[in-house]
Amino acid sequence: TSLVFAGLAIDRLSALAGLFVAVVGGVVYRFASRSMEGHPARSRFLALLAFTACMAFLLACASNLLLLMVAWVLLSSGVHHLLLFSADTRTAWLAVRRKFIGARIGEASLLAALGLLWWRCGSLEIGSCLEAAERLPVDAIAPIALLLAVAAMARSVQVPFHSWLPDTMEAPTPRSEEH
C-alpha cells in the first residue's frame, strides 16, 4: 500500500529511495561544508547542493508524471549549476556543454514518454499509468519503454551520454584552489 499526498508517494520503495537520497545528500553536504570552510561563495554552493538534493528526493518520491518531470528538470539544473561553480577552464566548460546537451536529450525523451503515457493511459498518476499499461498491447508500450530507457541512460550518464563525466575531474575543488 502507498500513501499519496500532494503528488508524493510514500511507500516502501519511495521511503527507501528517499532515505538513500537523504543519507547520501547529508554525507555530501557535510563533506562540502567542511571542505569549503572559509570559501567566499560557500553559502551559495551549499544552497545549490541542498536544492539539488531536495530535487533528487522529490524525483524519487513523485507519484505524478508532471511532478516527476518538474523534479527531473530542476535536478538537472541544480547539477548544471554545481558543475559551473568553479568552471574556469575550457575543458570544464566543454564538459558542462556536453552534459547540457545530454540532459536536454534525456528531458525530451522523458517528456515524450510521459506524453505517450498520458495519451495511452489517460492519467498523470504513475500508479494509474502502471495499471493501465498492463492492458496495453506491446506496440503501444514499446515506444514508451524506448523513450524511458533513453531518458534513464541520459540521466545516469550511460553510454553514449557519458563523455562529459571524465572531464569534470579536471574541475578545481575549493581546497585545491587554496594551494
Side-chain angles (χ1 to χ4, degrees), residues 110-149:
L110 182 63
L111 185 61
L114 299 185
L116 286 173
L117 273 171
W118 177 65
W119 177 55
R120 292 290 192 170
C121 301
S123 177
L124 293 175
E125 294 302 312
I126 293 172
S128 298
C129 287
L130 289 173
E131 289 174 13
E134 291 178 3
R135 297 182 297 276
L136 291 176
V138 172
D139 63 334
I141 292 293
I144 297 169
L146 179 63
L147 288 165
L148 288 174

Side-chain angles (χ1 to χ4, degrees), residues 38-107:
H39 193 284
R42 177 178 184 254
S43 295
R44 185 172 71 87
F45 182 84
L46 293 176
L48 278 170
L49 186 58
F51 172 80
T52 304
C54 286
M55 291 305 105
F57 181 82
L58 195 61
L59 180 66
C61 297
S63 69
N64 180 283
L65 297 176
L66 289 179
L67 182 60
L68 183 126
M69 187 71 205
V70 167
W72 183 284
V73 171
L74 292 176
L75 173 61
S76 180
S77 176
V79 170
H80 186 81
H81 284 88
L82 286 170
L83 287 171
L84 283 175
F85 187 76
S86 290
D88 56 358
T89 65
R90 185 180 187 292
T91 305
W93 277 96
L94 288 172
V96 170
R97 190 172 134 238
R98 284 196 306 264
K99 182 260 176 216
F100 181 83
I101 292 167
R104 298 303 80 78
I105 291 169
E107 289 166 5

